[in-house]
Amino acid sequence: MDIRVYNKIADEGLDILKNKGFTLNETNNPEGIILRSEELNDLEFNDNLVAIARAGAGVNNIPIQRAIENGIVVFNTPGANANAVNELVFTSMVMAIRHMRFANQWVHTLVGEDIPKQVEAGKKQFKGSEIKGKTIGVIGLGSIGHMVGNTAVKLGMHVLGYDPYIKEEAAYRLDPQIQRVTDVQTIYQEADFITIHVPYTQDNHHFIDKKAIDLMKKETILLNFSRAELIDVASVIAALDNKNLRYYLTDFPEEALMNRSDCLLFPHLGASTDEAEKISAQMAANQLSDFILTGNIRYSVNFPNVQMDMETACRLVIVNRNIPNMITLLVTELGEHQINIVHLTNKSRGDYAYTLIDFDEQDPQVLQELKEKIDANENILSARLIRK
Ligand SMILES: NC(=O)c1ccc[n+]([C@@H]2O[C@H](COP(=O)([O-])OP(=O)(O)OC[C@H]3O[C@@H](n4cnc5c(N)ncnc54)[C@H](O)[C@@H]3O)[C@@H](O)[C@H]2O)c1
Ligand SMILES: O=C(O)CC[C@@H](O)C(=O)O
């Protein structure tokens, strides 16, 4: 069993895969892929590929719909790097309003024995302001957004939160002092800092566009640690030029933003901490290996969670279209091969369903014939046999 590794995945994750018997990057026909930001949207799937695990949150670099149609399960690692991003968000805010970038540059220009004296004389040019008492608008209150909101409350900020799709469990984690708004325009009109923490999809391209920026207060500081495509950068630059925005702080630099005193640019550093890289790699490796070895699914972005202990010699793992009679078809096929089902579980999400069937048949010829018959059905997107 081989796994293709893209990007720098922490050793703690790769060791999990090796210890479970996987090889890494040894064939051109791997069963699984583990990656971070590698762009896979144009990747042609190889025949053996059954799973892709993103060590991180965003999956816009993975062709999810095409994966589903090929019966390939895609995983991510919810929350694993949220604290790393949260800390960078507040670091960048303080860097901006305390002029840290320029203060630091200036100090490095000083020479002579009397640096302490020069410092005391020159520091007035870097007088800043505080975030306590200011209003922050948080768009997206998931793993990162809720942490940003809660941290902001602890720092004495007034927090406006916008997330019409928030999951129930995420809503419970929110500090009660966060004021939930149902209209994102309230955030544009009232916030001193605006930070966006939503996944990028085709539907929210340029979520923050000229119209949104025109509603913002002149002194607003805009942050984007989510994805470049969520923000219309041309409109941001125009607003900065006209002094209608104060600062743009982002993890997604591009040429037009370079060398501006009103931008802080980071090289997609949000998740780049020892801790986040380790947890993300471990989660991704565990999810990927569990799925390949047992068919169990946890934290998939395109399939429901499915967990069933495997107590039999053999397990059939099926991805199928969610249409009537699919279970009947599978059960009939097993019956025709004189196979007695011990356990069966089936879950669906939208147009697709996932089925695990456990039984004790071990005859390789019978199993091969069964798999071929099931595979031949056009509504079966993938069929796999796992033996204990
Ligand atoms: N800079 C980095 O290195 C870095 C690191 C981690 C994540 N990210 C980015 O941040 C994004 C968010 O990460 P997360 O872990 O918080 O994800 P998450 O899935 O836990 O939370 C996303 C939240 O956005 C909400 N949402 C979706 N569409 C929305 C909309 N139109 N308006 C308002 N809310 C909306 C969802 O309901 C969800 O609560 C990721 O998808 C990724 O693109 C960047
Ligand atoms: O892997 C990274 O360095 C970035 C990850 C981040 O963008 C994410 O979506 O989790």
Side-chain angles (χ1 to χ4, degrees):
M1 292 169 305
D2 193 47
I3 303 294
R4 173 66 47 87
V5 183
Y6 290 100
N7 313 119
K8 175 77 190 93
I9 303 293
D11 288 342
E12 290 87 346
L14 298 181
D15 288 345
I16 289 174
L17 294 170
K18 288 189 233 167
N19 290 337
K20 290 190 178 174
F22 291 93
T23 57
L24 305 179
N25 297 325
E26 282 197 2
T27 74
N28 285 327
N29 201 5
E31 273 84 359
I33 290 176
I34 188 166
L35 79 160
R36 285 169 62 174
S37 298
E38 187 78 15
E39 175 54 61
L40 293 193
N41 277 304
D42 294 329
L43 180 82
E44 203 172 303
F45 296 135
N46 57 285
D47 293 343
N48 280 351
L49 190 66
V50 293
I52 301 175
R54 162 65 150 123
V59 286
N60 56 309
N61 54 329
I62 300 169
I64 308 281
Q65 188 54 33
R66 204 155 53 80
I68 296 181
E69 279 296 320
N70 285 272
I72 294 168
V73 178
V74 179
F75 298 90
N76 72 351
T77 59
N81 55 27
N83 186 61
V85 179
N86 180 43
E87 290 186 9
L88 197 58
V89 162
F90 287 95
T91 305
S92 72
M93 283 164 54
V94 174
M95 277 181 75
I97 62 170
R98 301 295 293 269
H99 315 296
M100 306 295 285
R101 170 180 159 198
F102 302 109
N104 179 264
Q105 278 169 1
W106 176 75
V107 169
H108 279 280
T109 66
L110 303 181
V111 282
E113 295 289 307
D114 63 342
I115 286 179
K117 212 171 154 193
Q118 293 180 53
V119 161
E120 292 309 321
K123 71 181 183 186
K124 53 182 168 296
Q125 58 189 308
F126 303 111
K127 180 168 70 84
S129 50
E130 298 179 22
I131 55 179
K132 185 176 176 188
K134 306 287 187 311
T135 298
I136 183 169
V138 185
I139 301 171
L141 296 168
S143 300
I144 299 171
H146 96 275
M147 257 189 202
V148 170
N150 290 359
T151 305
V153 169
K154 290 199 184 79
L155 291 170
M157 301 186 82
H158 175 222
V159 185
L160 302 173
Y162 171 76
D163 189 336
Y165 315 108
I166 191 167
K167 290 188 190 144
E168 202 179 323
E169 69 265 23
Y172 280 122
R173 296 178 303 199
L174 290 177
D175 188 302
Q177 290 188 58
I178 293 175
Q179 184 188 335
R180 299 269 305 277
V181 297
T182 52
D183 186 345
V184 71
Q185 292 184 358
T186 310
I187 284 184
Y188 298 148
Q189 286 162 343
E190 294 183 16
D192 303 299
F193 296 86
I194 297 177
T195 185
I196 183 161
H197 300 287
V198 308
Y200 174 67
T201 65
Q202 279 176 351
D203 295 338
N204 63 18
H205 186 80
H206 287 181
F207 187 109
I208 295 187
D209 56 8
K210 180 175 183 319
K211 214 165 130 202
I213 294 168
D214 284 349
L215 292 174
M216 294 177 191
K217 300 199 291 192
K218 271 188 185 302
E219 286 293 287
T220 300
I221 294 178
L222 179 62
L223 294 89
N224 177 14
F225 285 85
S226 280
R227 281 296 177 266
E229 299 87 345
L230 288 165
I231 309 272
D232 172 7
V233 164
S235 297
V236 168
I237 291 170
L240 290 168
D241 285 343
N242 298 331
K243 306 280 176 237
N244 286 335
L245 264 186
R246 184 172 168 200
Y247 247 116
Y248 183 51
L249 318 178
T250 186
D251 226 1
F252 305 97
E254 54 189 88
E255 203 171 359
L257 296 167
M258 301 290 178
N259 301 313
R260 296 187 64 105
S261 58
D262 46 15
C263 291
L264 283 181
L265 310 176
F266 306 98
H268 197 179
L269 272 190
S272 295
T273 65
D274 290 337
E275 296 83 351
E277 289 189 2
K278 176 178 153 190
I279 302 168
S280 303
Q282 287 174 326
M283 275 179 79
N286 278 322
Q287 291 156 217
L288 186 61
S289 55
D290 278 359
F291 175 72
I292 293 174
L293 296 173
T294 70
N296 285 337
I297 299 181
R298 210 147 63 104
Y299 301 130
S300 166
V301 299
N302 58 352
F303 284 92
N305 280 345
V306 179
Q307 304 278 320
M308 186 163 89
D309 287 342
M310 188 172 164
E311 288 158 4
T312 53
C314 203
R315 167 169 285 183
L316 196 53
V317 178
I318 306 283
V319 177
N320 58 276
R321 292 194 196 283
N322 187 18
I323 54 172
N325 286 328
M326 291 308 289
I327 296 294
T328 313
L329 178 137
L330 292 169
V331 170
T332 306
E333 207 55 71
L334 280 135
E336 281 176 6
H337 286 81
Q338 306 301 312
I339 294 174
N340 191 27
I341 295 172
V342 178
H343 296 293
L344 183 151
T345 185
N346 168 270
K347 279 198 184 174
S348 63
R349 191 195 274 183
D351 294 337
Y352 303 90
Y354 187 72
T355 308
L356 298 178
I357 305 175
D358 288 358
F359 49 88
D360 277 318
E361 178 63 55
Q362 297 199 49
D363 182 332
Q365 205 179 324
V366 174
L367 292 174
Q368 184 56 30
E369 201 185 293
L370 172 74
K371 183 177 165 335
E372 280 169 15
K373 282 293 283 290
I374 289 173
D375 254 341
N377 187 296
E378 60 179 1
N379 293 313
I380 302 287
L381 302 174
S382 80
R384 201 155 57 96
L385 276 167
I386 295 174
R387 301 199 210 169
K388 219 174 187 180

